[in-house]
Amino acid sequence: MLDYFDNYVLFENPIPKGRSSKNKLQKGEFLIGMSWIYLIQFLILKFSKTPRIEAFVDLENYLEQDLSKIKDIYHRYHAGYLFYNFLFKFIKPKGVFLVCYYSNFGLVKACKKNRIPVLELQHGIVTKNHRAYNFAKTLNGPFTPDYFLSYGPYFNSIVKNGNLVLKKNTLNYGYSFLYEANKKLRKTDEIEKLLTKFNKVICITGQLENTDRKLLKLVGNVSDEFADICFVYKPRNKNNMVTFKEKSNFIKWEDINTYLLMKYCDYHITIYSTCAIESIALGTPNIAINIDNLYSAHLKDIIGDNEYNHVVDSEKELNKLLLRLSNTNYNNKMVVQSISNVISPMISKELFSNFFNKVVKEKSNHH
C-alpha cells in the first residue's frame, strides 16, 4: 500500500512474535508490534470489570445452550475496544485498513465510535457460503467495515449481493501480494534443470493430509504412463506426514517457494486449493481433480468456464487430458487475462487516491 500514498505515516502491526526487519522500513513508516498491544489489552482485561451482555439470559434460553464461555471472549473484545478508543482520542487516522474484520470487532467498533472509516482488504476467498460476507440486509452497524477492497469483480459482486457494505463502497483493488510476488520471482537453476530434462513439469500443491493422500495415489498411478512428465509435489506445511513412493519423475520438493514453482512449471494440479486461481493469475494453466466433489463445491462457481482450467473426475480422465496437453503450449499473458474477472490487475495510483480521498471526504461530510 506504500506505493499508493505520499506524505504518509504508517503504523504496521505484525502478529505477535512476527519478524519484521527495521531496515526494511521506508521513510515515514513505523513498526509497532501487536505483542505490545496484546499486553496492554491483557492488563485492561485484568483491571476492568466484566462488561454486561444485554439480554444474555434470553439468548441462552432461546438457543437452549450454556453460553458462559462467550463472556470471556466478549470481555477480551471489550478490552480491545477500550484500548483503541482511548488511542484514537490522541491519534486519529484518516482511515484504518484491516483484513478479516470479524477478528477485529474491538478495533472496528472503536473506529466507528470515533468516525474513522474502516476499509477491509480481501485476504482470502470470499464465497456465497461465507457467513461473514452474506446478510439479509445491509447492517452498516458498529462491527462491519464501511468499504471493501477486493481482488476483482467476482468478489465485489459477492460482497455487494451479500449486503456487507453499501454497493457503491467496493473497489476492484487487485491481489497485491500476488502482484508484488510475481514481479520478484525469477527462474532458478534447479527449475531450469527440470524444465530441460522433461517435456513438461507439473506442480501439485498440497492441502489437507487426507485429501493429499488420495491425490498423490492418483497422480502416482498416472506418472507411470508419462515418463517425460515430472510431477513435483509441494506440501502445504513442512511438518506434512504424507508419504508416497518417489521416483525420477515424481518427487517431493518442500523448501521451494510455492509461487515460484507455480509460475515456472507448465501446469498446476490441485483438488480445491486457491492455488488453482493463483496459478492461472501467474500464467500457468490449472488442472483440477474433482476428488470427493470438492472442486465443484468450492471453486467451480469462482473459476467458471475457463479454457485454461481443466477439470477431471478420475484417473482415466487425467490420463486422456495429459495425452492431449503433452504437445500444447500456451501464451502466458492470455492465461493471466482469462482470470481477470476474479483477480484484477493492481489499481493505478491515481484511481486509488481518488477512491481514498472520496472515502475521507464522505466520512467527514456525513458527520
Short mmCIF file of all heavy atoms in Angstrom, two decimals, residues 146-207:
data_model
loop_
_atom_site.label_atom_id
_atom_site.label_comp_id
_atom_site.label_asym_id
_atom_site.label_seq_id
_atom_site.Cartn_x
_atom_site.Cartn_y
_atom_site.Cartn_z
N ASP A 146 -16.78 -0.28 6.47
CA ASP A 146 -17.51 0.68 5.64
C ASP A 146 -17.25 0.43 4.16
O ASP A 146 -18.11 0.71 3.32
CB ASP A 146 -17.06 2.11 5.97
CG ASP A 146 -17.32 2.47 7.42
OD1 ASP A 146 -18.48 2.45 7.83
OD2 ASP A 146 -16.33 2.74 8.14
N TYR A 147 -16.06 -0.08 3.85
CA TYR A 147 -15.64 -0.27 2.46
C TYR A 147 -14.96 -1.63 2.31
O TYR A 147 -14.38 -2.16 3.27
CB TYR A 147 -14.68 0.84 2.02
CG TYR A 147 -15.26 2.22 2.16
CD1 TYR A 147 -15.15 2.92 3.37
CD2 TYR A 147 -15.93 2.84 1.10
CE1 TYR A 147 -15.70 4.19 3.51
CE2 TYR A 147 -16.47 4.10 1.24
CZ TYR A 147 -16.36 4.77 2.44
OH TYR A 147 -16.91 6.03 2.59
N PHE A 148 -15.01 -2.16 1.10
CA PHE A 148 -14.38 -3.46 0.83
C PHE A 148 -13.55 -3.35 -0.43
O PHE A 148 -14.05 -2.98 -1.49
CB PHE A 148 -15.45 -4.54 0.66
CG PHE A 148 -14.88 -5.93 0.52
CD1 PHE A 148 -14.51 -6.65 1.65
CD2 PHE A 148 -14.72 -6.52 -0.73
CE1 PHE A 148 -13.98 -7.93 1.53
CE2 PHE A 148 -14.19 -7.79 -0.86
CZ PHE A 148 -13.83 -8.50 0.28
N LEU A 149 -12.26 -3.67 -0.32
CA LEU A 149 -11.33 -3.63 -1.45
C LEU A 149 -11.01 -5.07 -1.85
O LEU A 149 -10.40 -5.81 -1.08
CB LEU A 149 -10.05 -2.89 -1.08
CG LEU A 149 -10.10 -1.35 -1.09
CD1 LEU A 149 -11.14 -0.82 -0.10
CD2 LEU A 149 -8.74 -0.75 -0.78
N SER A 150 -11.46 -5.45 -3.05
CA SER A 150 -11.42 -6.86 -3.43
C SER A 150 -10.32 -7.18 -4.43
O SER A 150 -9.72 -6.29 -5.04
CB SER A 150 -12.77 -7.27 -4.04
OG SER A 150 -12.88 -6.75 -5.35
N TYR A 151 -10.11 -8.49 -4.65
CA TYR A 151 -9.18 -8.96 -5.67
C TYR A 151 -9.70 -8.65 -7.08
O TYR A 151 -8.92 -8.49 -8.00
CB TYR A 151 -8.98 -10.47 -5.57
CG TYR A 151 -8.30 -10.95 -4.31
CD1 TYR A 151 -8.39 -12.29 -3.93
CD2 TYR A 151 -7.55 -10.10 -3.51
CE1 TYR A 151 -7.76 -12.76 -2.79
CE2 TYR A 151 -6.92 -10.56 -2.36
CZ TYR A 151 -7.03 -11.90 -2.00
OH TYR A 151 -6.42 -12.37 -0.87
N GLY A 152 -11.03 -8.62 -7.22
CA GLY A 152 -11.58 -8.40 -8.55
C GLY A 152 -13.10 -8.37 -8.56
O GLY A 152 -13.74 -8.51 -7.51
N PRO A 153 -13.71 -8.18 -9.74
CA PRO A 153 -15.16 -8.01 -9.87
C PRO A 153 -16.00 -9.14 -9.28
O PRO A 153 -17.06 -8.89 -8.71
CB PRO A 153 -15.37 -7.91 -11.39
CG PRO A 153 -14.06 -7.47 -11.93
CD PRO A 153 -13.01 -8.06 -11.04
N TYR A 154 -15.53 -10.37 -9.42
CA TYR A 154 -16.32 -11.50 -8.91
C TYR A 154 -16.56 -11.36 -7.41
O TYR A 154 -17.69 -11.50 -6.93
CB TYR A 154 -15.61 -12.83 -9.20
CG TYR A 154 -16.31 -14.02 -8.57
CD1 TYR A 154 -17.35 -14.66 -9.24
CD2 TYR A 154 -15.97 -14.47 -7.30
CE1 TYR A 154 -18.03 -15.74 -8.66
CE2 TYR A 154 -16.63 -15.54 -6.72
CZ TYR A 154 -17.66 -16.16 -7.40
OH TYR A 154 -18.32 -17.21 -6.82
N PHE A 155 -15.50 -11.07 -6.66
CA PHE A 155 -15.63 -10.98 -5.21
C PHE A 155 -16.41 -9.72 -4.80
O PHE A 155 -17.12 -9.73 -3.79
CB PHE A 155 -14.25 -11.01 -4.55
CG PHE A 155 -13.51 -12.29 -4.80
CD1 PHE A 155 -12.37 -12.31 -5.60
CD2 PHE A 155 -13.96 -13.49 -4.26
CE1 PHE A 155 -11.71 -13.50 -5.84
CE2 PHE A 155 -13.29 -14.68 -4.49
CZ PHE A 155 -12.16 -14.68 -5.29
N ASN A 156 -16.26 -8.66 -5.59
CA ASN A 156 -17.07 -7.47 -5.32
C ASN A 156 -18.55 -7.79 -5.40
O ASN A 156 -19.36 -7.32 -4.59
CB ASN A 156 -16.74 -6.36 -6.33
CG ASN A 156 -15.75 -5.36 -5.77
OD1 ASN A 156 -15.20 -5.55 -4.69
ND2 ASN A 156 -15.50 -4.30 -6.50
N SER A 157 -18.92 -8.59 -6.39
CA SER A 157 -20.34 -8.93 -6.57
C SER A 157 -20.85 -9.77 -5.40
O SER A 157 -21.99 -9.60 -4.96
CB SER A 157 -20.55 -9.69 -7.88
OG SER A 157 -19.93 -10.96 -7.86
N ILE A 158 -20.00 -10.64 -4.87
CA ILE A 158 -20.39 -11.45 -3.70
C ILE A 158 -20.69 -10.54 -2.51
O ILE A 158 -21.70 -10.69 -1.82
CB ILE A 158 -19.28 -12.45 -3.33
CG1 ILE A 158 -19.08 -13.49 -4.43
CG2 ILE A 158 -19.58 -13.13 -1.99
CD1 ILE A 158 -20.20 -14.47 -4.61
N VAL A 159 -19.79 -9.57 -2.27
CA VAL A 159 -19.94 -8.67 -1.13
C VAL A 159 -21.15 -7.75 -1.30
O VAL A 159 -21.89 -7.49 -0.35
CB VAL A 159 -18.64 -7.86 -0.93
CG1 VAL A 159 -18.85 -6.73 0.07
CG2 VAL A 159 -17.51 -8.77 -0.47
N LYS A 160 -21.34 -7.25 -2.53
CA LYS A 160 -22.49 -6.39 -2.79
C LYS A 160 -23.81 -7.15 -2.57
O LYS A 160 -24.71 -6.67 -1.88
CB LYS A 160 -22.44 -5.86 -4.22
CG LYS A 160 -21.37 -4.82 -4.47
CD LYS A 160 -21.37 -4.42 -5.94
CE LYS A 160 -20.28 -3.42 -6.24
NZ LYS A 160 -20.24 -3.07 -7.68
N ASN A 161 -23.91 -8.33 -3.17
CA ASN A 161 -25.14 -9.13 -3.03
C ASN A 161 -25.32 -9.65 -1.62
O ASN A 161 -26.44 -9.94 -1.19
CB ASN A 161 -25.13 -10.29 -4.03
CG ASN A 161 -25.17 -9.82 -5.47
OD1 ASN A 161 -25.71 -8.75 -5.76
ND2 ASN A 161 -24.58 -10.58 -6.37
N GLY A 162 -24.20 -9.79 -0.89
CA GLY A 162 -24.26 -10.27 0.49
C GLY A 162 -24.51 -9.17 1.50
O GLY A 162 -24.56 -9.42 2.70
N ASN A 163 -24.65 -7.92 1.03
CA ASN A 163 -25.03 -6.80 1.89
C ASN A 163 -24.03 -6.50 3.00
O ASN A 163 -24.42 -6.01 4.06
CB ASN A 163 -26.42 -7.05 2.51
CG ASN A 163 -27.50 -7.12 1.45
OD1 ASN A 163 -27.63 -6.23 0.62
ND2 ASN A 163 -28.28 -8.19 1.47
N LEU A 164 -22.74 -6.78 2.78
CA LEU A 164 -21.76 -6.44 3.82
C LEU A 164 -21.58 -4.94 3.90
O LEU A 164 -21.57 -4.36 4.99
CB LEU A 164 -20.42 -7.11 3.53
CG LEU A 164 -19.29 -6.75 4.50
CD1 LEU A 164 -19.57 -7.34 5.88
CD2 LEU A 164 -17.94 -7.21 3.99
N VAL A 165 -21.40 -4.30 2.74
CA VAL A 165 -21.25 -2.84 2.69
C VAL A 165 -22.21 -2.31 1.63
O VAL A 165 -22.80 -3.07 0.86
CB VAL A 165 -19.80 -2.43 2.34
CG1 VAL A 165 -18.82 -2.93 3.38
CG2 VAL A 165 -19.41 -2.93 0.95
N LEU A 166 -22.36 -1.00 1.57
CA LEU A 166 -23.18 -0.39 0.54
C LEU A 166 -22.59 -0.70 -0.84
O LEU A 166 -21.37 -0.79 -0.99
CB LEU A 166 -23.26 1.12 0.74
CG LEU A 166 -23.92 1.59 2.06
CD1 LEU A 166 -23.81 3.11 2.19
CD2 LEU A 166 -25.37 1.16 2.13
N LYS A 167 -23.43 -0.86 -1.83
CA LYS A 167 -22.98 -1.30 -3.15
C LYS A 167 -21.93 -0.37 -3.75
O LYS A 167 -21.06 -0.80 -4.50
CB LYS A 167 -24.19 -1.43 -4.08
CG LYS A 167 -25.15 -2.55 -3.68
CD LYS A 167 -26.25 -2.74 -4.71
CE LYS A 167 -27.27 -3.77 -4.26
NZ LYS A 167 -26.70 -5.10 -4.04
N LYS A 168 -22.00 0.93 -3.44
CA LYS A 168 -21.04 1.88 -4.01
C LYS A 168 -19.71 1.88 -3.27
O LYS A 168 -18.75 2.54 -3.70
CB LYS A 168 -21.64 3.29 -3.99
CG LYS A 168 -21.89 3.85 -2.58
CD LYS A 168 -22.52 5.24 -2.65
CE LYS A 168 -22.77 5.81 -1.27
NZ LYS A 168 -21.53 6.13 -0.54
N ASN A 169 -19.65 1.14 -2.17
CA ASN A 169 -18.46 1.20 -1.31
C ASN A 169 -17.50 0.03 -1.53
O ASN A 169 -16.88 -0.48 -0.59
CB ASN A 169 -18.86 1.26 0.16
CG ASN A 169 -19.47 2.60 0.53
OD1 ASN A 169 -19.52 3.50 -0.29
ND2 ASN A 169 -19.92 2.73 1.76
N THR A 170 -17.39 -0.44 -2.78
CA THR A 170 -16.44 -1.50 -3.09
C THR A 170 -15.48 -1.01 -4.17
O THR A 170 -15.78 -0.10 -4.93
CB THR A 170 -17.16 -2.77 -3.59
OG1 THR A 170 -17.90 -2.45 -4.77
CG2 THR A 170 -18.10 -3.32 -2.52
N LEU A 171 -14.32 -1.65 -4.22
CA LEU A 171 -13.30 -1.27 -5.19
C LEU A 171 -12.55 -2.51 -5.65
O LEU A 171 -12.16 -3.36 -4.84
CB LEU A 171 -12.31 -0.29 -4.54
CG LEU A 171 -11.12 0.15 -5.41
CD1 LEU A 171 -11.59 1.07 -6.53
CD2 LEU A 171 -10.06 0.86 -4.55
N ASN A 172 -12.37 -2.65 -6.98
CA ASN A 172 -11.53 -3.73 -7.52
C ASN A 172 -10.06 -3.32 -7.33
O ASN A 172 -9.45 -2.75 -8.22
CB ASN A 172 -11.83 -3.94 -9.01
CG ASN A 172 -13.23 -4.44 -9.25
OD1 ASN A 172 -13.83 -5.05 -8.37
ND2 ASN A 172 -13.77 -4.18 -10.43
N TYR A 173 -9.55 -3.64 -6.18
CA TYR A 173 -8.20 -3.19 -5.79
C TYR A 173 -7.10 -4.04 -6.42
O TYR A 173 -6.05 -3.55 -6.81
CB TYR A 173 -8.12 -3.24 -4.25
CG TYR A 173 -6.77 -2.98 -3.65
CD1 TYR A 173 -6.23 -1.71 -3.65
CD2 TYR A 173 -6.05 -4.02 -3.05
CE1 TYR A 173 -4.99 -1.46 -3.07
CE2 TYR A 173 -4.81 -3.79 -2.47
CZ TYR A 173 -4.28 -2.52 -2.48
OH TYR A 173 -3.06 -2.28 -1.92
N GLY A 174 -7.36 -5.36 -6.55
CA GLY A 174 -6.35 -6.28 -7.06
C GLY A 174 -5.76 -7.11 -5.94
O GLY A 174 -6.05 -6.90 -4.76
N TYR A 175 -4.94 -8.08 -6.31
CA TYR A 175 -4.34 -9.02 -5.33
C TYR A 175 -2.90 -8.59 -5.13
O TYR A 175 -1.99 -9.05 -5.80
CB TYR A 175 -4.44 -10.43 -5.89
CG TYR A 175 -4.10 -11.55 -4.93
CD1 TYR A 175 -4.31 -12.87 -5.29
CD2 TYR A 175 -3.57 -11.31 -3.67
CE1 TYR A 175 -4.02 -13.92 -4.43
CE2 TYR A 175 -3.26 -12.33 -2.80
CZ TYR A 175 -3.49 -13.65 -3.20
OH TYR A 175 -3.18 -14.68 -2.34
N SER A 176 -2.67 -7.68 -4.17
CA SER A 176 -1.37 -7.02 -4.03
C SER A 176 -0.23 -8.00 -3.74
O SER A 176 0.87 -7.85 -4.28
CB SER A 176 -1.44 -5.96 -2.93
OG SER A 176 -1.88 -6.52 -1.71
N PHE A 177 -0.48 -9.02 -2.91
CA PHE A 177 0.59 -9.97 -2.59
C PHE A 177 1.06 -10.69 -3.85
O PHE A 177 2.26 -10.79 -4.13
CB PHE A 177 0.12 -10.99 -1.56
CG PHE A 177 1.07 -12.15 -1.40
CD1 PHE A 177 2.26 -12.01 -0.71
CD2 PHE A 177 0.80 -13.38 -2.00
CE1 PHE A 177 3.16 -13.06 -0.59
CE2 PHE A 177 1.68 -14.44 -1.89
CZ PHE A 177 2.86 -14.28 -1.19
N LEU A 178 0.10 -11.20 -4.62
CA LEU A 178 0.45 -11.95 -5.83
C LEU A 178 1.13 -11.04 -6.85
O LEU A 178 2.09 -11.43 -7.52
CB LEU A 178 -0.81 -12.57 -6.43
CG LEU A 178 -0.58 -13.73 -7.40
CD1 LEU A 178 0.01 -14.92 -6.67
CD2 LEU A 178 -1.88 -14.14 -8.08
N TYR A 179 0.65 -9.81 -6.93
CA TYR A 179 1.22 -8.84 -7.86
C TYR A 179 2.68 -8.55 -7.51
O TYR A 179 3.55 -8.56 -8.38
CB TYR A 179 0.40 -7.55 -7.80
CG TYR A 179 0.93 -6.41 -8.64
CD1 TYR A 179 0.73 -6.39 -10.01
CD2 TYR A 179 1.63 -5.36 -8.04
CE1 TYR A 179 1.22 -5.34 -10.78
CE2 TYR A 179 2.12 -4.31 -8.81
CZ TYR A 179 1.90 -4.30 -10.17
OH TYR A 179 2.39 -3.27 -10.93
N GLU A 180 2.96 -8.30 -6.23
CA GLU A 180 4.32 -8.00 -5.80
C GLU A 180 5.23 -9.22 -5.92
O GLU A 180 6.39 -9.12 -6.34
CB GLU A 180 4.31 -7.49 -4.35
CG GLU A 180 3.70 -6.11 -4.18
CD GLU A 180 4.49 -5.03 -4.88
OE1 GLU A 180 5.73 -5.16 -4.99
OE2 GLU A 180 3.88 -4.04 -5.33
N ALA A 181 4.69 -10.40 -5.52
CA ALA A 181 5.49 -11.63 -5.60
C ALA A 181 5.86 -11.95 -7.04
O ALA A 181 7.01 -12.30 -7.34
CB ALA A 181 4.71 -12.79 -4.98
N ASN A 182 4.91 -11.77 -7.95
CA ASN A 182 5.13 -12.08 -9.36
C ASN A 182 6.25 -11.24 -9.96
O ASN A 182 7.05 -11.72 -10.76
CB ASN A 182 3.83 -11.87 -10.14
CG ASN A 182 3.87 -12.46 -11.53
OD1 ASN A 182 4.73 -13.28 -11.84
ND2 ASN A 182 2.96 -12.05 -12.37
N LYS A 183 6.33 -9.97 -9.54
CA LYS A 183 7.38 -9.08 -10.04
C LYS A 183 8.77 -9.54 -9.60
O LYS A 183 9.76 -9.31 -10.30
CB LYS A 183 7.15 -7.65 -9.55
CG LYS A 183 5.98 -6.94 -10.21
CD LYS A 183 6.04 -5.43 -9.97
CE LYS A 183 6.02 -5.07 -8.51
NZ LYS A 183 5.98 -3.60 -8.28
N LYS A 184 8.85 -10.19 -8.45
CA LYS A 184 10.16 -10.53 -7.88
C LYS A 184 10.59 -11.96 -8.19
O LYS A 184 11.75 -12.32 -7.97
CB LYS A 184 10.11 -10.35 -6.36
CG LYS A 184 9.86 -8.90 -5.94
CD LYS A 184 9.69 -8.78 -4.44
CE LYS A 184 9.38 -7.35 -4.03
NZ LYS A 184 9.13 -7.21 -2.57
N LEU A 185 9.68 -12.81 -8.68
CA LEU A 185 10.01 -14.20 -8.94
C LEU A 185 10.95 -14.34 -10.13
O LEU A 185 10.71 -13.77 -11.19
CB LEU A 185 8.73 -15.01 -9.20
CG LEU A 185 7.75 -15.12 -8.03
CD1 LEU A 185 6.46 -15.80 -8.47
CD2 LEU A 185 8.37 -15.88 -6.87
N ARG A 186 12.01 -15.11 -9.94
CA ARG A 186 12.97 -15.36 -11.01
C ARG A 186 13.26 -16.86 -11.10
O ARG A 186 13.43 -17.53 -10.09
CB ARG A 186 14.28 -14.60 -10.75
CG ARG A 186 14.13 -13.09 -10.73
CD ARG A 186 13.85 -12.54 -12.12
NE ARG A 186 13.73 -11.09 -12.11
CZ ARG A 186 12.61 -10.42 -11.90
NH1 ARG A 186 11.48 -11.09 -11.67
NH2 ARG A 186 12.59 -9.10 -11.92
N LYS A 187 13.35 -17.36 -12.30
CA LYS A 187 13.58 -18.79 -12.52
C LYS A 187 14.95 -19.20 -11.95
O LYS A 187 15.96 -18.55 -12.22
CB LYS A 187 13.53 -19.10 -14.02
CG LYS A 187 13.53 -20.58 -14.34
CD LYS A 187 13.60 -20.82 -15.85
CE LYS A 187 12.38 -20.29 -16.56
NZ LYS A 187 12.41 -20.60 -18.01
N THR A 188 14.96 -20.27 -11.18
CA THR A 188 16.21 -20.74 -10.57
C THR A 188 16.86 -21.82 -11.44
O THR A 188 16.23 -22.39 -12.33
CB THR A 188 15.94 -21.34 -9.17
OG1 THR A 188 15.05 -22.47 -9.31
CG2 THR A 188 15.28 -20.31 -8.26
N ASP A 189 18.12 -22.12 -11.15
CA ASP A 189 18.84 -23.16 -11.89
C ASP A 189 18.19 -24.52 -11.71
O ASP A 189 18.14 -25.33 -12.64
CB ASP A 189 20.30 -23.22 -11.43
CG ASP A 189 21.08 -21.98 -11.83
OD1 ASP A 189 20.63 -21.27 -12.76
OD2 ASP A 189 22.13 -21.71 -11.20
N GLU A 190 17.68 -24.78 -10.48
CA GLU A 190 17.05 -26.08 -10.21
C GLU A 190 15.81 -26.29 -11.07
O GLU A 190 15.59 -27.38 -11.61
CB GLU A 190 16.66 -26.18 -8.72
CG GLU A 190 17.83 -26.27 -7.76
CD GLU A 190 18.37 -24.90 -7.36
OE1 GLU A 190 17.91 -23.89 -7.94
OE2 GLU A 190 19.24 -24.84 -6.49
N ILE A 191 14.99 -25.24 -11.18
CA ILE A 191 13.79 -25.35 -12.01
C ILE A 191 14.18 -25.46 -13.48
O ILE A 191 13.58 -26.24 -14.24
CB ILE A 191 12.88 -24.13 -11.79
CG1 ILE A 191 12.26 -24.20 -10.39
CG2 ILE A 191 11.78 -24.07 -12.85
CD1 ILE A 191 11.36 -23.03 -10.05
N GLU A 192 15.19 -24.73 -13.90
CA GLU A 192 15.65 -24.79 -15.29
C GLU A 192 16.10 -26.20 -15.66
O GLU A 192 15.83 -26.69 -16.77
CB GLU A 192 16.79 -23.80 -15.49
CG GLU A 192 17.25 -23.65 -16.93
CD GLU A 192 16.17 -23.12 -17.84
OE1 GLU A 192 15.66 -22.01 -17.60
OE2 GLU A 192 15.81 -23.84 -18.80
N LYS A 193 16.76 -26.86 -14.74
CA LYS A 193 17.22 -28.24 -14.99
C LYS A 193 16.04 -29.18 -15.21
O LYS A 193 16.07 -30.04 -16.10
CB LYS A 193 18.06 -28.73 -13.81
CG LYS A 193 19.45 -28.11 -13.74
CD LYS A 193 20.20 -28.60 -12.52
CE LYS A 193 21.55 -27.91 -12.39
NZ LYS A 193 22.27 -28.34 -11.15
N LEU A 194 15.00 -29.03 -14.38
CA LEU A 194 13.81 -29.87 -14.53
C LEU A 194 13.13 -29.61 -15.87
O LEU A 194 12.73 -30.55 -16.58
CB LEU A 194 12.81 -29.60 -13.40
CG LEU A 194 13.04 -30.28 -12.06
CD1 LEU A 194 11.95 -29.88 -11.09
CD2 LEU A 194 13.08 -31.80 -12.21
N LEU A 195 12.99 -28.34 -16.23
CA LEU A 195 12.32 -27.98 -17.48
C LEU A 195 13.10 -28.48 -18.69
O LEU A 195 12.51 -28.79 -19.74
CB LEU A 195 12.16 -26.46 -17.56
CG LEU A 195 11.20 -25.82 -16.54
CD1 LEU A 195 11.31 -24.30 -16.58
CD2 LEU A 195 9.76 -26.25 -16.82
N THR A 196 14.42 -28.55 -18.56
CA THR A 196 15.26 -29.04 -19.66
C THR A 196 15.21 -30.56 -19.75
O THR A 196 15.19 -31.13 -20.85
CB THR A 196 16.72 -28.58 -19.46
OG1 THR A 196 16.75 -27.16 -19.36
CG2 THR A 196 17.60 -29.03 -20.62
N LYS A 197 15.16 -31.20 -18.60
CA LYS A 197 15.21 -32.67 -18.55
C LYS A 197 13.91 -33.32 -19.00
O LYS A 197 13.91 -34.40 -19.60
CB LYS A 197 15.54 -33.11 -17.12
CG LYS A 197 15.71 -34.60 -16.95
CD LYS A 197 16.11 -34.93 -15.51
CE LYS A 197 16.28 -36.44 -15.33
NZ LYS A 197 16.64 -36.77 -13.92
N PHE A 198 12.77 -32.67 -18.70
CA PHE A 198 11.46 -33.26 -19.01
C PHE A 198 10.71 -32.44 -20.05
O PHE A 198 10.94 -31.23 -20.18
CB PHE A 198 10.62 -33.36 -17.74
CG PHE A 198 11.14 -34.34 -16.73
CD1 PHE A 198 12.02 -33.92 -15.73
CD2 PHE A 198 10.77 -35.68 -16.77
CE1 PHE A 198 12.51 -34.82 -14.79
CE2 PHE A 198 11.26 -36.58 -15.84
CZ PHE A 198 12.14 -36.15 -14.85
N ASN A 199 9.80 -33.09 -20.74
CA ASN A 199 8.96 -32.41 -21.72
C ASN A 199 8.03 -31.41 -21.05
O ASN A 199 7.84 -30.29 -21.53
CB ASN A 199 8.14 -33.44 -22.51
CG ASN A 199 7.22 -32.78 -23.53
OD1 ASN A 199 7.59 -31.82 -24.19
ND2 ASN A 199 6.00 -33.29 -23.64
N LYS A 200 7.45 -31.82 -19.90
CA LYS A 200 6.57 -30.96 -19.11
C LYS A 200 6.88 -31.14 -17.63
O LYS A 200 7.26 -32.23 -17.19
CB LYS A 200 5.09 -31.29 -19.34
CG LYS A 200 4.60 -31.15 -20.77
CD LYS A 200 4.52 -29.69 -21.22
CE LYS A 200 3.96 -29.58 -22.63
NZ LYS A 200 3.98 -28.19 -23.13
N VAL A 201 6.70 -30.06 -16.87
CA VAL A 201 6.80 -30.12 -15.40
C VAL A 201 5.46 -29.68 -14.83
O VAL A 201 4.97 -28.59 -15.17
CB VAL A 201 7.93 -29.21 -14.87
CG1 VAL A 201 7.92 -29.18 -13.34
CG2 VAL A 201 9.28 -29.70 -15.38
N ILE A 202 4.88 -30.53 -14.00
CA ILE A 202 3.58 -30.23 -13.39
C ILE A 202 3.74 -30.18 -11.88
O ILE A 202 4.21 -31.14 -11.27
CB ILE A 202 2.53 -31.29 -13.77
CG1 ILE A 202 2.34 -31.33 -15.28
CG2 ILE A 202 1.20 -31.01 -13.07
CD1 ILE A 202 1.35 -32.39 -15.75
N CYS A 203 3.37 -29.06 -11.27
CA CYS A 203 3.46 -28.96 -9.81
C CYS A 203 2.12 -29.31 -9.18
O CYS A 203 1.06 -29.08 -9.76
CB CYS A 203 3.92 -27.58 -9.37
SG CYS A 203 2.72 -26.26 -9.57
N ILE A 204 2.18 -29.90 -8.00
CA ILE A 204 1.00 -30.31 -7.25
C ILE A 204 1.07 -29.62 -5.90
O ILE A 204 2.00 -29.86 -5.12
CB ILE A 204 0.97 -31.84 -7.04
CG1 ILE A 204 1.11 -32.56 -8.39
CG2 ILE A 204 -0.28 -32.27 -6.31
CD1 ILE A 204 1.69 -33.95 -8.26
N THR A 205 0.12 -28.75 -5.61
CA THR A 205 0.14 -28.07 -4.31
C THR A 205 -0.74 -28.83 -3.32
O THR A 205 -1.89 -29.16 -3.62
CB THR A 205 -0.36 -26.62 -4.42
OG1 THR A 205 -1.63 -26.60 -5.07
CG2 THR A 205 0.61 -25.78 -5.21
N GLY A 206 -0.16 -29.09 -2.16
CA GLY A 206 -0.87 -29.87 -1.15
C GLY A 206 -1.81 -29.02 -0.31
O GLY A 206 -1.72 -27.79 -0.27
N GLN A 207 -2.73 -29.71 0.36
CA GLN A 207 -3.69 -29.06 1.26
C GLN A 207 -3.76 -29.85 2.55
O GLN A 207 -2.81 -29.90 3.31
CB GLN A 207 -5.07 -28.97 0.59
CG GLN A 207 -5.13 -27.98 -0.56
CD GLN A 207 -6.43 -28.10 -1.31
OE1 GLN A 207 -6.53 -28.86 -2.26
NE2 GLN A 207 -7.42 -27.35 -0.89
#
